[in-house]
Each structure stands twice: as C-alpha cells, then as structure tokens.
Amino acid sequence: MTTLQDVQTWKGKKAVDPDGDKIGTIEDIFLDRQTGEPAWAAVKTGLFGLKHSLVPLRGAEPIDDDAVRLPVDKELVKDAPRIDPDHQPTPEEERQLWEHYGLGDYDEWQGDDKTTALAGLEDAPDPIPVSSADPPVVGVRLRRVVIVVPAIDDR
C-alpha cells in the first residue's frame, strides 16, 4: 500500500508505465476521503506537459531516485478522461475514471472524511505537511492535495 509519506517525495518525478515507457511528470496527489490514503496522481502528459491525467496509484512503486512506476499502460493514460487539475472532480468524473481504468470499487464518499486531519483542515497532533488545494465537496471521493516540499537549508 502506498502511504502519504511515500508520495511526499514523488512530486516532480517521472511517471512510467510497467514497461518503463514515460507517461509524464507527477504533479499532485489525490487522497481517498474514505480511506485517507493516496489513491491517484495528477500527471502532466503530452508533448509539452500541457495535459493532465489522473492515474490510480494502487500498486505504484518508486524505481529509482527520479521515477515512479505506475500500474497502468501509457496508452490507457493517454485515452483517460481529462480532468481539470485545478478543480475538484465531480462524482460523474470520478465514476468515469474508475470505469476507464477498470476499477470496480467506486462509490461516492459517505461518512467521515479521513483526509481532513491529514490536509490540515482540523487540528491534528502532528500535522503532515500537505495543504488543501480545494475546499471539501461532500459526495466527491477524491481530495486533491498539494505536496509541500520542504526547502533545503544550504548552511
């Protein structure tokens, strides 16, 4: 299982498919409100990185310091429904993504939002360094977070 601590180092890394073909560059992470775990990555794709695709993280793994192997084929990502990376996906867009990637466990989020404390929207004893990019939307399962990469002190 991919943890939030794992994905905190993935921003800006090359995303590759199981064959090692470059898909794009990881830009943001989407957490699953139901589990609180990282579930999808927003990946810049296309010739100049102008397109964005959401890609499931289930089974993703770092393969070296500069790349993360994602569990889906490059062509499947290329044909994925486009989601505006700056906005929260709608329930219909989420459903389309789950169907496109052949994931059968989609249902709209209900109950407690397990990402709230992680995203710093509630007081947490030891907050994880992520910041919320969009306000919560009830019914939408995915929650976009921007990974805050700590500055390196050169002193």
Side-chain angles (χ1 to χ4, degrees), residues 9 11 22 29 33 36-37 40 44 62 69 71 75 88 91 95 100-101 103 110 114 130 132-133 148 152 155:
T9 62
K11 182 179 177 80
K22 183 177 179 183
I29 301 298
R33 292 176 193 272
E37 298 295 323
W40 295 74
K44 285 191 218 178
R69 181 181 295 123
E75 291 303 313
Q88 189 72 41
R95 185 174 310 286
H100 176 77
Y101 288 106
L103 304 174
Q110 296 177 1
K114 294 184 179 170
V130 296
S132 176
V148 178
I152 299 173
R155 292 183 262 159

Side-chain angles (χ1 to χ4, degrees), residues 15 20 28 38 61 75 78 80 89-90 98 110 120 122 124 152-153:
D28 287 319
E61 60 184 353
E75 291 303 313
K78 184 178 173 184
T90 66
W98 255 261
Q110 296 177 1
E122 287 182 354
I152 299 173
D153 189 359

Side-chain angles (χ1 to χ4, degrees), residues 33 83 87-99 106-109 137-142:
R33 292 176 193 272
I83 305 293
H87 299 300
Q88 189 72 41
T90 66
E92 182 56 32
E93 289 172 327
E94 285 184 349
R95 185 174 310 286
Q96 289 172 359
L97 284 169
W98 255 261
E99 289 173 2
Y106 179 77
D107 57 348
E108 289 182 19
W109 161 68
V137 179
V138 175
V140 178
R141 186 166 170 173
L142 298 179

Side-chain angles (χ1 to χ4, degrees), residues 50-101:
L50 299 176
K51 296 179 183 176
H52 289 81
S53 298
L54 290 185
V55 182
L57 289 175
R58 191 179 300 159
E61 60 184 353
I63 54 175
D64 60 36
D65 289 343
D66 298 324
V68 175
R69 181 181 295 123
L70 299 179
V72 295
D73 185 69
K74 178 180 180 175
E75 291 303 313
L76 189 61
V77 176
K78 184 178 173 184
D79 296 335
R82 297 286 173 232
I83 305 293
D84 184 342
D86 295 325
H87 299 300
Q88 189 72 41
T90 66
E92 182 56 32
E93 289 172 327
E94 285 184 349
R95 185 174 310 286
Q96 289 172 359
L97 284 169
W98 255 261
E99 289 173 2
H100 176 77
Y101 288 106

